[in-house]
Amino acid sequence: MPRPLIATIDTDALRHNAALLRARAPRSRLMAMVKADAYGHGLEQVVRALAHADAFGVAALSEARRIRDICCTTPVVVMAGPIDADDVAWMRQHAVGAVIHDAGQLALLEQAPDGPPLQCWLKIDTGMHRLGVAPEEVRSVHARLAACAAVHPDVVLMTHFASSDATDLHTRNGAMTLRQLRTFEETVAGLPGVRSLANSAAVLEWPQTHADWIRPGGALYGMSVVESRPGPEYGLRAVMQLDSALLAVKQVRGGERIGYSGLWEAPQDMPVGIVAAGYGDGYPRGMPSGAPVLLNGRPVPLVGRVSMDLLALDLRTQPQAQAGDPVRLWGDGLAVDRVAADAGTIGYALTCAVTARVPKRCVGSDAQGG
Ligand SMILES: *Cc1c(COP(=O)(O)O)cnc(C)c1O
């Protein structure tokens, strides 16, 4: 019998979320961000389920290759852009677009031989200070792109927000999004081309940033990083359910300690449930005692240190529980954002961290298995 831990990917929920995001930004086209194996949900299944997206966004060329293996028409854009001349050649041949974020990439384009044009997205650093061309260099980089024979004449202008999850305008982070928006508008004023700014949090909370293309990632998967507002509060549906089962139930005496390093001491004689899930599956090792897990659909607290393959639950509120009873680590009823907050991280980091030994099963009206 297989180990009971499984990640279920609900493609109907995925399409529901995509439709909800489109409805929030009705005049914008939607680039579905599917980097990092679609935030850990499985790139191939997600791309098939979102075949009606206007484009797919990935971080790396390797991810664009995987998309082109299954889908040859939807635009794909690589956020890191080309790193060498081979990348440029492959992208042009496969109609994969490139984010140009550094003047150093221009030489690659200017030296490229004749061939199909490369769709370029010029990324402007409006204050995040990660990737992007400084505002004062944008005009010259744009002019060189426009003059480059290898580049498609329609250059998209884009930027990325550092803190769109913060919505209180009285805080430094809350004020940041409007500052970045202003810098962007001043920088691109008068330049031709469509515009793209909004990640998930901006789609949900900053309508003035929607522009021509939205680029949601986390919200497609039902997650939100907007300050203490989990995805379901926006009507988003969890796309991943991480489910397991009790492997064993045992009675421990008051004063006994549970798991590695004996982190948690039983306050009384009590039942403890052992679940098939651990950090070897991607469940955070740092999850503190008391964090909720759903057993038979109802929350019970985790106790002791999460180990590689197992974790323990306090069964005092469900003393009748037995081996085989269903356990949900996150999903409907327990938003991954909530779970992540208990571990001091965000939902994205949890779904991305689900390891290869966890089987993924696709459900939904189009499910093709896998
Ligand atoms: C990852 C990414 C996004 C999507 O961000 P979410 O917060 O997941 O919506 C959008 N744009 C760029 C450039 C990204 O790298």
Side-chain angles (χ1 to χ4, degrees):
M1 185 169 156
R3 192 161 173 261
L5 183 65
I6 186 164
T8 304
I9 307 302
D10 181 348
T11 57
D12 288 338
L14 194 56
R15 281 186 294 269
H16 163 89
N17 295 339
L20 185 146
L21 293 164
R22 277 195 192 279
R24 285 199 87 112
R27 283 181 292 280
S28 310
R29 279 176 280 175
L30 181 133
M31 177 185 295
M33 296 304 294
V34 295
K35 59 198 181 185
D37 203 29
Y39 292 48
H41 293 67
L43 180 65
E44 281 76 10
Q45 291 97 318
V46 167
V47 163
R48 284 197 187 96
L50 293 181
H52 297 298
D54 300 305
F56 293 110
V58 294
L61 202 78
S62 58
E63 298 168 318
R65 283 183 202 280
R66 282 170 63 190
I67 296 177
R68 278 292 174 258
D69 282 345
I70 56 170
C71 152
C72 36
T73 50
T74 307
V76 176
V77 181
V78 178
M79 296 298 131
I83 293 170
D84 60 22
D86 288 345
D87 290 359
V88 173
W90 188 86
M91 292 167 120
R92 294 171 77 193
Q93 192 187 336
H94 292 88
V96 165
V99 169
I100 301 300
H101 55 79
D102 187 272
Q105 292 171 310
L106 290 169
L108 290 176
L109 305 177
E110 288 167 347
Q111 287 155 20
D114 289 347
L118 179 68
Q119 178 71 63
C120 287
W121 293 57
L122 174 55
K123 186 168 187 181
I124 302 162
D125 179 7
T126 54
M128 186 170 186
H129 302 315
R130 202 177 56 171
L131 293 183
V133 173
E136 56 274 18
E137 292 175 28
V138 165
R139 304 254 152 195
S140 71
V141 171
H142 189 272
R144 280 174 72 185
L145 285 174
C148 182
V151 171
H152 191 284
D154 299 329
V155 174
V156 182
L157 301 163
M158 70 178 279
T159 192
H160 191 51
F161 293 124
S163 306
S164 51
D165 56 314
T167 55
D168 179 353
L169 291 173
H170 302 293
T171 63
R172 181 173 54 89
N173 280 346
M176 179 71 178
T177 300
L178 292 181
R179 215 164 52 238
Q180 286 191 263
L181 175 62
R182 193 167 354 104
T183 301
F184 181 79
E185 284 172 344
E186 286 166 9
T187 305
V188 303
L191 286 179
V194 299
R195 275 92 162 127
S196 176
L197 305 92
N199 57 0
S200 295
V203 175
L204 295 172
E205 289 290 343
W206 302 95
Q208 63 275 60
T209 68
H210 289 169
D212 301 293
W213 281 91
I214 55 171
R215 306 188 310 270
L220 278 176
Y221 309 101
M223 298 186 279
S224 148
V225 287
V226 176
E227 288 169 327
S228 66
R229 285 194 72 186
E233 285 192 25
Y234 291 96
L236 297 166
R237 283 170 54 190
V239 172
M240 181 189 290
Q241 315 284 334
L242 187 64
D243 289 313
S244 189
L246 285 185
L247 286 180
V249 173
K250 56 211 309 142
Q251 301 296 323
V252 298
R253 295 207 170 282
E256 295 290 339
R257 290 176 168 273
I258 293 170
Y260 284 118
S261 312
L263 276 194
W264 193 82
E265 183 182 315
Q268 61 185 113
D269 294 0
M270 59 179 280
V272 167
I274 307 300
V275 179
Y279 65 80
D281 305 299
Y283 193 83
R285 180 169 179 274
M287 194 62 90
S289 291
V293 167
L294 297 184
L295 170 62
N296 295 308
R298 280 169 291 144
V300 295
L302 181 141
V303 291
R305 174 159 280 163
V306 172
S307 52
M308 185 182 290
D309 313 308
L310 300 167
L311 55 80
L313 302 178
D314 173 348
L315 299 187
R316 280 177 291 177
T317 58
Q318 293 192 46
Q320 75 298 347
Q322 43 184 313
D325 282 3
V327 169
R328 171 156 293 167
L329 285 320
W330 62 69
D332 293 335
L334 184 58
V336 68
D337 314 274
R338 268 286 334 269
V339 177
D342 281 325
T345 183
I346 60 170
Y348 295 26
L350 295 197
T351 60
C352 279
V354 172
T355 61
R357 89 167 169 194
V358 180
K360 287 197 190 83
R361 179 187 53 173
C362 246
V363 297
S365 48
D366 67 332
Q368 310 183 357

